[in-house]
Amino acid sequence: MNKFSPDHYQHQGIQTWDYIAAAELDYFLGNVCKYISRAGLKPGEEQLDDLRKAQAYLVKKIQLIENAST
């Protein structure tokens, strides 16, 4: 582990940011992916905390899409 590659961001053999880049996710969806993938794995953080963070970014993305279509 190094400071740019902590264990809680590598799951099933792929770095989360590599997946985000490959999928060309925007800021909001990238953060949803990040928080879901590390939920329950980051030392000192509860799974529910990360899931709530993912939810906040997803809600914001939905709002942006809804507002763009009006």
Side-chain angles (χ1 to χ4, degrees):
M1 179 181 92
N2 66 52
K3 68 180 181 176
F4 297 112
S5 182
D7 291 339
H8 59 270
Y9 285 122
Q10 182 165 331
H11 190 63
Q12 300 297 324
I14 186 169
Q15 285 286 338
T16 303
W17 63 12
D18 290 335
Y19 173 78
I20 291 168
E24 298 181 355
L25 299 179
D26 68 12
Y27 176 79
F28 298 99
L29 294 180
N31 275 302
V32 170
C33 181
K34 173 181 77 171
Y35 287 119
I36 288 173
S37 69
R38 78 171 203 190
L41 300 175
K42 185 174 182 183
E45 294 215 14
E46 297 293 323
Q47 182 180 28
L48 193 53
D49 294 332
D50 281 332
L51 294 176
R52 285 184 176 135
K53 290 175 189 176
Q55 180 183 33
Y57 280 98
L58 185 57
V59 166
K60 181 62 176 177
K61 179 65 177 182
I62 291 168
Q63 290 172 344
L64 290 169
I65 293 170
E66 289 174 341
N67 291 339
S69 66
T70 58

